[in-house]
Amino acid sequence: MVSAYDPTFGYDGAPEVETRTIDEIYQAALAEGGVVTVWHGGDEKTQQNRLKQAFEARFPKMTLNVTVDVSKYHDGNIDRQLATGGVYVDSVILQTLHDYPRWDNEGALLHYVPLNFYNVHPSFRDLRGAWHGVEVLAWSFLWNTNKISEGPREFDDFLKPEYKGKLVLTYPNDDDAVLYAFDLIMQQYGYGWFEKLLAQNPRWVRGTATPVTLIGRNGSEALTFTSSAGLAPSAPLGIALPTKGLFVSWAQRAGILKDAPHPEGAKLLHNYMLSEEFQATNSSWSVRMDIPAPAGYAKVMDVPSTNPTAFGEFMGDRARVERLKLFFEDKIGTPQGLSPLNDDL
């Protein structure tokens, strides 16, 4: 159960440092029952099918139960488990970066240093192993090359007359990473940019996967800047990253709950996700310093138009985040529609 006091002065925070091979951890996970349950942030139920398939193929007889939901809903339900002592989830991988220091301060996270932990960029890992990044996510400019001949290169380009009625964007007051994108843009380009964007008559949707889905269909939606499709998306998607404007990137965090029912299974999952075989197959930047960036890109820490550590700082200032949400709610209304997990988009 989560502590009702500050556990700091127990002075028992030294992490467990993994010395076994990944196959030895696998055998321990099998002996434990061969199951690991992970709650993963996202907005489409099938988003982590690749992880499940890859993990179960690499470790036969293991079962990865993965539930995808919006991170801001997952974290409240984790809090409920911690408060009632009914923890049944092993690992949590979420966009709500501010939750991990809080859970750690409450004594809810296992201090565990997996293999390859020290290859992870220091900014992407907790000193005592309470959490670490597993993948770098970033919003990019995406468009359907069959619908528009030339895609945007900077945020001002989205104001071009030829894009009017073709933009599809995620509600910034429904997703904190999108909210941060708008905050960065408007700090740089001013409120007037936003007024001109509204005049472009964008379609506002729930979920960051939804714009990519709509762009790929036969409708008028053709471009977005509130989604990700990796750094080498399949045709007909075109991609660009701004060099003058600032775009959002961050390392999605993962932690193991201290009272996880399958700690060995969770350890196996975390070691696998930090392994070279998994990190090298990601379509984005790796959290590991020793894994090269995808072809044609610099390592994320060397890209001048993004700061992957800044999103965590933004998320930590909840008062400002909530003020910004209300600001955008006043301008574009409350998010409309079903949860992106339950709609047909």
Side-chain angles (χ1 to χ4, degrees), residues 72-291:
K72 65 182 181 180
Y73 300 148
H74 264 331
D75 67 352
N77 288 313
I78 290 293
D79 284 337
R80 175 66 180 167
Q81 290 182 44
L82 294 171
T84 59
V87 173
Y88 59 88
V89 171
D90 301 306
S91 173
V92 285
I93 305 174
L94 303 178
Q95 174 184 295
T96 50
L97 307 188
H98 59 290
D99 282 319
Y100 291 84
R102 175 175 65 86
W103 283 329
D104 186 34
N105 287 335
E106 293 170 350
L109 297 180
L110 181 68
H111 290 175
Y112 173 69
V113 173
L115 303 171
N116 296 302
F117 180 80
Y118 294 109
N119 289 327
V120 174
H121 194 283
S123 297
F124 298 159
R125 52 180 164 88
D126 175 64
L127 190 63
R128 296 182 299 166
W131 50 263
H132 57 81
V134 290
E135 60 179 334
V136 176
L137 301 178
W139 303 145
S140 55
F141 299 170
L142 296 167
W143 65 91
N144 187 323
T145 58
N146 293 330
K147 294 181 180 181
I148 55 177
S149 58
E150 184 178 352
R153 293 296 184 272
E154 298 292 342
F155 287 107
D156 273 345
D157 292 339
F158 286 90
L159 308 180
K160 290 181 176 180
E162 58 264 35
Y163 293 157
K164 187 170 185 177
K166 298 179 180 180
L167 285 167
V168 54
L169 302 170
T170 305
Y171 283 100
N173 45 328
D174 199 33
D175 185 291
D176 286 354
V178 174
L179 183 72
Y180 184 44
F182 275 84
D183 188 38
L184 284 178
I185 297 165
M186 293 166 65
Q187 291 288 348
Q188 185 171 10
Y189 291 92
Y191 181 73
W193 175 91
F194 181 64
E195 289 186 322
K196 293 175 183 177
L197 181 76
L198 293 180
Q200 292 288 72
N201 193 29
R203 177 177 176 180
W204 299 100
V205 298
R206 299 195 65 194
T208 58
T210 304
V212 177
T213 300
L214 291 172
I215 287 170
R217 293 185 177 179
N218 292 327
S220 61
E221 297 86 358
L223 70 165
T224 189
F225 58 84
T226 62
S227 293
S228 175
L231 295 178
S234 302
L237 281 183
I239 183 174
L241 295 171
T243 58
K244 297 178 182 178
L246 303 176
F247 67 93
V248 174
S249 64
W250 75 96
Q252 195 88 327
R253 288 180 182 173
I256 298 173
L257 295 176
K258 184 180 288 186
D259 294 331
H262 308 104
E264 296 298 337
K267 292 173 186 176
L268 181 63
L269 175 65
H270 283 228
N271 279 277
Y272 174 65
M273 293 192 74
L274 289 185
S275 69
E276 183 174 359
E277 63 182 293
F278 184 81
Q279 289 288 315
T281 61
N282 284 339
S283 60
S284 184
W285 291 284
S286 173
V287 295
R288 285 178 50 169
M289 297 178 288
D290 58 335
I291 302 291

Side-chain angles (χ1 to χ4, degrees), residues 179-180 182-184 187 313-327:
L179 183 72
Y180 184 44
F182 275 84
D183 188 38
L184 284 178
Q187 291 288 348
E313 298 171 8
F314 173 83
M315 291 291 280
D317 189 349
R318 300 313 298 169
R320 184 169 186 272
V321 168
E322 294 306 317
R323 290 197 303 273
L324 284 170
K325 286 181 181 179
L326 292 174
F327 173 82

